[in-house]
Amino acid sequence: MRNSPVTNTEHRLTTLDALESEGIHIIREAIGSARKPVLLFSGGKDSVVVLHLATKAFWPGRVPFELLHVDTGHNFDEVIAFRDATVARLGLRLRVARVQDYIDDGRLRERPDGTRNPLQTVPLLDAIASNGYDIVFGGARRDEEKARAKERVVSLRDEFGQWDPRNQRPELWNLYNARHLPGQHVRVFPLSNWTELDVWRYIERERIELPSLYFAHERDVFDRDGMWLTPHPSVRMREGDRATVKTVRYRTVGDASCTGAVESDASLIADVIAEVAATRITERGATRADDRLSEAAMEDRKKDGYF
Amino acid sequence: MTTTTTTSSSLLRFATAGSVDDGKSTLVGRLLHDTKSILADAYEAMERVSRERGGDGVDLALLTDGLRAEREQGITIDVAYRYFSTPRRTFILADCPGHVQYTRNTVTGASTADVLVVLIDVRFGVVEQTRRHLAVAALLRVPHVVIAVNKIDLVEFAQAPFDRIAGEVAAHATKLGLDDVVCVPVSALDGDNVADRSTRTTWYSGPTILDLLETLPNTDELAASAADSGWRLPVQWVLRPQDAAIAPAYRDYRGYAGLVVEGTVRVGDAVSVQPSGRSTTVAAIDTADGPLDEAVAGRSVAIRLTDDVDVARGDLLSSTAGAALPTRNFHAHIAWLAQRPLRARERVLVQHGSSFVTAMVTSIDGILDISLPGGTLDASIVPGHELALNDIGVVSVQLAQPLPIEDYGTHRRTGAFCIVDPHDGNTLAAGTARASAPGTGADGYVSI
């Protein structure tokens, strides 16, 4: 963080200034009405930016909430290491809900396609209920996907964690209504109005650290339905799958079984920004097999209580 | 296209509204398409679905219909937010559905909008929904209204029907007190006068829709150039880290965190704290990146005060000159957004800034007839005893505790409030306080 005094004599906020201030306002507002707040933190860039905004919102105090990660058991080691280092650096408390535990004791079953992203919903809702979280922050953005484009900044979930898209509360001016009944909770998305490019430009401006996967590196990859997957214990290789070394990076970091890399030479933030600005493929379309399941894949998962 | 946008560009929030089938989703799709904001895979998905439905060409409306029910029924249900940019500006678009039963979404979209774009089908002219959308724009004081007179291709690009509608709109806007309304002839389907100037409306020399969106000043820019009427900062959180301080030097730090919602606050400014009425001075304006000399509207900061006064979440800090004053009784316009009706003497919660206060709607003083039979908004309030979904009413409200609610016409942020159901927490209405006859009430508080 910069320490020199900043003077803004111009009567205008830049887009990034406006988005940062809006995000901080949303976080402070939600915390003001929370009994037990939590941030869903995966070590991915969006949750890293939300955490960064929270450190600014409560400066010079520590961030006043816990972090929760729903671990599919198929995450990249680099990302888990980054997650733990970040938590330690900020002196925060992290809880981890493990999909593997649910598979081991039979509450969940592995899907035939091997992807575990849809399996995160049950451990997430159990963790929210058992810890009594009432305000759950997430890094979702409206520009990611069509169903997300319709979600409120402060979004009510019923007793079953479900989102009812046809019966959302009107959200007026900058008045955010996080009131809810016992058993319900609200999801709060401070980055609702940010685009992928805004997130990257902000990461550059603020010099925010990210897992190394986001930048170009050499890696063994193989082609699976038009995506570059990497050999990983969670990925079942099929006959004919042949790994080759390519220079790639990840646009999103999720479950290794369904998150693909993109070929890229972007090794610096500035390169990534140039690449994102010039891209012709949406973030999720390029790299997430789970969103390709159907036209309404995200809507269905959100209704069931997904992030 | 995004590649040439600089990070110093300003942000414009706009909303689109229209009635069923006037081509609003197509206009939005057209804006995104012509500003090259649609990525290849999203475009291919639209092409595929358009083909499957047996349509000719690409149905741009598919881009915004994000929910399954919307795609199945071919209508838009909920506000969809879209993001795009041009070299001149970054845009946040709230795309609001047209059906009467979803008018509440237009209210939602318009509440944050710098510009409201209203669609009119050139063949049908001003219809009831148009009048409703213009009334919402007037009530919420949206700074600019742009009327897209659409489907101009279906009247052979003729000037006469456009002129007739523009005249009708201008007359209605005058009655509502809307002073910045511009009409543009467009074909959303073909792209005429959306992003690119049409060669088929040679009689029209005004701006395109995108020209207007790129150049109209946003709310913060307007406020900066307006006469100084003081600043406002609702306190969201008291920063008192004590043992949770990030460094020992901050153990005894005490700052008041919030968003500057109006005006510019400067170090040394005299401060009035409401509702307590205490006076003090701004000692410092802090951010995690270092102190500021001043903070403009739209910036989140923490304020330190020179005196040890009692300030809590929900309080309002304002400049002493033109200070906000607490009130317990006020009149307001409200847009009723719930299925169940509102009746007089109902107990509700009023959400204002960071406060929720118990309140009673002491009377329903009338309902707006959106056809404006009285010639003005104020003269078109007809008698009524309850408000139904989508009604705009005039009500009197009594608060259990005083709040610094101000006239919405002069203080958009501190004049805005919501009515919330005390039982389930649902948001029931959007309200704008109005100063009809300010004065001091029997309880010693200002009445507005």
Side-chain angles (χ1 to χ4, degrees):
Chain A
M1 268 174 214
R2 296 184 298 270
N3 282 313
S4 54
V6 183
T7 303
N8 184 354
T9 48
E10 208 181 323
H11 279 275
R12 205 180 74 165
L13 297 177
T14 66
T15 297
L16 287 184
D17 290 337
L19 291 173
E20 177 190 68
S21 280
E22 180 184 82
I24 289 173
H25 178 251
I26 290 164
I27 292 170
R28 286 170 171 168
E29 204 52 27
I31 287 290
S33 56
R35 197 180 61 248
K36 192 166 181 197
V38 69
L39 166 65
L40 299 175
F41 186 75
S42 62
K45 69 181 188 315
D46 300 313
S47 61
V48 169
V49 168
V50 175
L51 183 57
H52 183 80
L53 290 175
T55 62
K56 289 193 162 196
F58 300 103
W59 179 94
R62 275 200 295 273
V63 173
F65 47 73
E66 301 180 343
L67 309 182
L68 172 66
H69 183 213
V70 182
D71 186 350
T72 60
H74 290 168
N75 286 290
F76 294 98
D77 294 342
E78 299 97 306
V79 180
I80 296 295
F82 173 86
R83 177 197 76 185
D84 293 342
T86 304
V87 169
R89 176 171 59 82
L90 295 172
L92 300 175
R93 177 173 181 165
L94 171 76
R95 288 181 194 270
V96 179
R98 294 176 207 282
V99 171
Q100 189 65 51
D101 293 347
Y102 284 71
I103 291 173
D104 290 347
D105 68 16
R107 281 178 289 173
L108 287 175
R109 260 172 305 171
E110 204 82 76
R111 293 161 50 97
D113 61 6
T115 179
R116 286 185 173 182
N117 261 13
L119 303 184
Q120 288 172 284
T121 302
V122 172
L124 169 67
L125 295 177
D126 282 354
I128 289 171
S130 63
N131 291 296
Y133 297 128
D134 60 337
I135 301 277
V136 181
F137 290 102
R141 307 187 321 267
R142 285 171 176 156
D143 85 321
E144 281 179 75
E145 203 279 331
K146 288 204 280 191
R148 284 196 167 160
K150 307 225 160 176
E151 187 159 19
R152 303 292 185 255
V153 172
V154 171
S155 184
L156 188 68
R157 292 294 192 281
D158 69 11
E159 294 81 346
F160 301 96
Q162 297 180 101
W163 178 53
D164 181 359
R166 299 195 69 163
N167 197 22
Q168 299 192 81
R169 290 176 179 170
E171 194 160 74
L172 299 142
W173 295 288
N174 61 355
L175 301 175
Y176 300 104
N177 180 357
R179 293 181 81 90
H180 56 278
L181 297 171
Q184 298 177 336
H185 70 274
V186 293
R187 304 276 173 94
V188 177
F189 304 110
L191 306 185
S192 287
N193 287 326
W194 298 47
T195 63
E196 184 186 12
L197 196 54
D198 294 327
V199 168
W200 277 108
R201 284 180 171 150
Y202 188 70
I203 287 165
E204 179 183 49
R205 188 182 91 168
E206 301 288 308
R207 301 188 195 115
I208 297 171
E209 277 193 52
L210 289 182
S212 55
L213 262 63
Y214 280 112
F215 303 98
H217 56 283
E218 289 200 339
R219 174 179 289 271
D220 281 342
V221 289
F222 63 93
D223 179 64
R224 171 71 55 84
D225 306 329
M227 285 194 319
W228 292 112
L229 293 187
T230 195
H232 185 273
S234 70
V235 182
R236 258 164 288 171
M237 303 283 280
R238 294 176 193 156
E239 210 175 318
D241 281 344
R242 194 169 305 120
T244 51
V245 177
K246 289 200 177 289
T247 304
V248 297
R249 70 174 202 89
Y250 287 82
R251 278 177 81 182
T252 65
V253 298
D255 189 302
S257 67
C258 66
T259 305
V262 292
E263 283 190 73
S264 170
D265 296 322
S267 52
L268 301 171
I269 292 179
D271 304 333
V272 173
I273 289 173
E275 183 187 291
V276 170
T279 189
R280 302 303 305 144
I281 306 283
T282 60
E283 189 177 9
R284 287 194 161 261
T287 63
R288 289 295 183 95
D290 48 335
D291 288 325
R292 295 178 171 186
L293 294 174
S294 82
E295 178 82 345
M298 174 67 88
E299 181 183 346
D300 291 343
R301 276 180 291 146
K302 284 188 78 68
K303 280 183 178 167
D304 289 340
Y306 189 75
F307 305 136
Chain B
M1 175 63 202
T2 43
T3 38
T4 46
T5 313
T6 65
T7 48
S8 62
S9 66
S10 71
L11 189 61
L12 186 90
R13 295 172 199 256
F14 73 104
T16 54
S19 48
V20 185
D21 293 335
D22 57 15
K24 185 176 54 59
S25 293
T26 308
L27 178 76
V28 170
R30 174 57 64 186
L31 264 177
L32 297 175
H33 179 266
D34 290 0
T35 54
K36 302 192 172 41
S37 313
I38 304 177
L39 298 183
D41 55 334
Y43 194 78
E44 281 163 18
M46 275 193 305
E47 279 183 318
R48 192 181 62 239
V49 175
S50 301
R51 243 190 342 266
E52 283 164 9
R53 290 192 185 163
D56 271 337
V58 176
D59 182 0
L60 291 171
L62 288 170
L63 197 67
T64 55
D65 293 339
L67 302 174
R68 190 198 300 271
E70 295 175 332
R71 286 190 296 274
E72 285 168 1
Q73 296 168 34
I75 56 160
T76 311
I77 291 168
D78 210 287
V79 184
Y81 293 88
R82 297 288 151 191
Y83 304 84
F84 67 101
S85 54
T86 67
R88 298 174 76 173
R89 226 174 201 170
T90 309
F91 299 97
I92 299 178
L93 156 60
D95 183 20
C96 307
H99 287 242
V100 162
Q101 64 264 42
Y102 303 123
T103 296
R104 67 180 207 159
N105 292 320
T106 306
V107 176
T108 302
S111 72
T112 52
D114 301 309
V115 179
L116 180 66
V117 177
V118 178
L119 272 98
I120 293 180
D121 186 322
V122 68
R123 296 167 303 168
F124 306 130
V126 174
V127 297
E128 180 185 337
Q129 272 300 77
T130 316
R131 285 192 280 269
R132 193 174 286 280
H133 292 141
L134 291 173
V136 168
L139 185 73
L140 298 184
R141 299 198 185 243
V142 179
H144 318 279
V145 177
V146 172
I147 308 282
V149 180
N150 192 24
K151 306 193 183 179
I152 196 80
D153 50 313
L154 297 184
V155 295
E156 315 296 329
F157 302 92
Q159 182 176 2
F162 172 80
D163 284 349
R164 191 168 60 245
I165 289 168
E168 204 180 335
V169 167
H172 199 73
T174 304
K175 291 181 185 175
L176 286 167
L178 285 169
D179 48 17
D180 186 355
V181 181
V182 181
C183 294
V184 182
V186 307
S187 166
L189 195 64
D190 298 337
D192 297 84
N193 295 327
V194 178
D196 299 318
R197 171 160 300 283
S198 174
T199 53
R200 301 187 287 188
T201 53
T202 47
W203 44 268
Y204 176 76
S205 58
T208 64
I209 300 284
L210 189 63
D211 287 337
L212 290 164
L213 296 176
E214 286 187 323
T215 54
L216 289 170
N218 68 25
T219 307
D220 290 339
E221 288 162 350
L222 282 173
S225 60
D228 191 5
S229 60
W231 54 266
R232 305 283 185 267
L233 183 144
V235 176
Q236 293 184 274
W237 188 258
V238 180
L239 293 164
R240 270 185 73 199
Q242 300 179 310
D243 291 343
I246 55 167
Y250 297 116
R251 265 196 61 89
D252 297 322
Y253 182 91
R254 182 194 281 254
Y256 304 102
L259 181 75
V260 182
V261 295
E262 186 182 322
T264 299
V265 53
R266 294 180 180 83
V267 174
D269 278 358
V271 177
S272 163
V273 182
Q274 298 299 347
S276 72
R278 293 289 304 271
S279 296
T280 176
T281 308
V282 176
I285 303 169
D286 291 329
T287 72
D289 300 311
L292 302 172
D293 299 328
E294 61 174 41
V296 297
R299 193 178 272 280
S300 284
V301 294
I303 303 274
R304 272 183 286 146
L305 301 172
T306 52
D307 302 286
D308 189 14
V309 294
D310 185 24
V311 179
R313 172 174 163 83
D315 287 355
L316 180 72
L317 303 183
S318 77
S319 46
T320 301
L325 296 174
T327 183
R328 284 192 57 186
N329 292 283
F330 63 95
H331 300 289
H333 284 121
I334 63 172
W336 190 251
L337 308 176
Q339 289 290 344
R340 69 172 180 83
L342 171 73
R343 298 183 182 86
R345 304 206 62 75
E346 194 166 328
R347 279 181 176 73
V348 294
L349 292 171
V350 164
Q351 181 184 13
H352 177 256
S354 296
S355 298
F356 282 88
V357 167
T358 300
M360 183 191 280
V361 177
T362 50
S363 61
I364 294 170
D365 306 322
I367 301 174
L368 176 67
D369 181 339
I370 57 160
S371 65
L372 302 183
T376 66
L377 204 146
D378 281 342
S380 303
I381 305 295
V382 299
H385 301 292
E386 62 175 51
L387 297 183
L389 177 66
N390 296 322
D391 277 347
I392 292 169
V394 180
V395 298
S396 301
V397 182
Q398 185 176 18
L399 299 168
Q401 283 99 40
L403 283 174
I405 290 192
E406 303 187 85
D407 179 51
Y408 186 84
T410 44
H411 300 281
R412 197 172 178 207
R413 291 300 179 190
T414 47
F417 66 95
C418 291
I419 290 181
V420 171
D421 190 318
H423 305 293
D424 61 15
N426 283 330
T427 299
L428 302 174
T432 59
R434 52 198 289 269
S436 48
T440 305
D443 54 7
Y445 287 107
V446 172
S447 294
I448 68 170

